[in-house]
Amino acid sequence: MKKYIKPILWGLLVILVLIQFIRPARNQSNDETYGIHTKYAVPQEVDAILKTACNDCHSNNTIYPWYANVQPVAWWLANHVEEGKHHLNLSEFTKSRVAVQNHKFDEIIDMIKEGEMPMTSYTLIHRDAVMSDAQKQLVIDWAQSMMDTLKSQYPADSLVLKRKG
Ligand code: HEC
């Protein structure tokens, strides 16, 4: 049994080295053509919170830590970013129908109220992304005021989210 340990460890090392060459594409674009700012007023304080607490997973521009160069960590991060953007992308916010945008503001409120976002696996490392109660309230109030603005600008039925199919 003992004679196998060395070859197995070498094998693992070789695999670890080889997977370093399989790098996921980076999520880094400055294209904000459909960015949330193009349509909605985002006060500076709110913007700063979104940047530190949400943008890494919910925009087209992630700020990568050094360990994002290490596989398989980078795969795990890329997966979070992809999943996160699929649900909410602040860089492409205005691409969706207005009813969807309205719904996303509602979801933002829910996620923050329930303490589900930012994800715990993120805040464990990114301590600056931990939101104080005041910061939470600021973002919640902002999202609510965006919904109120939409309500005053659009006919009620255009803000109703109709399920596809
Ligand atoms: C580390 C990555 C990460 C960070 C940081 C993050 N999220 Fe998310 N978010 C995700 C992932 C992954 C999902 C989809 C899976 C899920 O719902 O858990 C998601 C889903 C969501 C959704 C959609 C929920 C739904 O019901 O579809 C909203 C809204 C959201 N996040 C808001 C936020 C806000 C607001 C912040 C900042 C305060 C934030 N997230 C920070 C990764 C992240």
Side-chain angles (χ1 to χ4, degrees):
M1 204 46 216
K2 217 171 165 191
K3 67 176 179 183
Y4 292 122
I5 291 181
K6 235 179 168 179
I8 286 173
L9 286 180
W10 274 111
L12 284 178
L13 188 66
V14 168
I15 289 171
L16 206 62
V17 169
L18 285 179
I19 64 172
Q20 300 312 313
F21 294 97
I22 311 171
R23 292 167 171 267
R26 291 240 158 168
N27 179 48
Q28 275 173 331
S29 149
N30 288 319
D31 185 355
E32 288 287 328
T33 313
Y34 298 99
I36 191 161
H37 301 87
T38 60
K39 177 168 168 181
Y40 299 94
V42 188
Q44 215 182 341
E45 303 94 322
V46 174
D47 198 42
I49 299 169
L50 296 179
K51 276 209 176 90
T52 25
C54 321
N55 272 20
D56 276 352
C57 302
H58 292 294
S59 81
N60 285 342
N61 208 344
T62 302
I63 297 169
Y64 287 92
W66 63 267
Y67 49 83
N69 290 309
V70 182
Q71 321 302 337
V73 179
W75 302 344
W76 186 68
L77 296 183
N79 187 46
H80 272 165
V81 173
E82 200 178 313
E83 267 272 302
K85 284 206 318 186
H86 177 72
H87 287 263
L88 171 72
N89 188 345
L90 297 170
S91 301
E92 293 176 16
F93 197 82
T94 64
K95 248 187 189 172
S96 324
R97 288 172 298 133
V98 67
V100 174
Q101 298 175 29
N102 187 58
H103 180 64
K104 291 297 158 189
F105 283 123
D106 205 17
E107 283 185 352
I108 289 174
I109 295 173
D110 282 351
M111 289 292 117
I112 293 179
K113 270 192 184 156
E114 289 161 18
E116 287 199 31
M117 290 287 150
M119 292 171 71
T120 316
S121 63
Y122 183 79
T123 49
L124 276 177
I125 298 170
H126 298 254
R127 299 308 295 168
D128 55 341
V130 177
M131 293 164 80
S132 67
D133 286 347
Q135 288 178 318
K136 286 182 188 173
Q137 202 54 50
L138 209 61
V139 177
I140 290 170
D141 290 347
W142 166 73
Q144 186 57 56
S145 75
M146 294 300 102
M147 289 177 78
D148 294 344
T149 308
L150 287 176
K151 207 171 173 182
S152 70
Q153 288 174 343
Y154 289 87
D157 64 342
S158 68
L159 295 178
V160 177
L161 198 61
K162 296 181 193 79
R163 296 261 166 234
K164 275 184 225 151

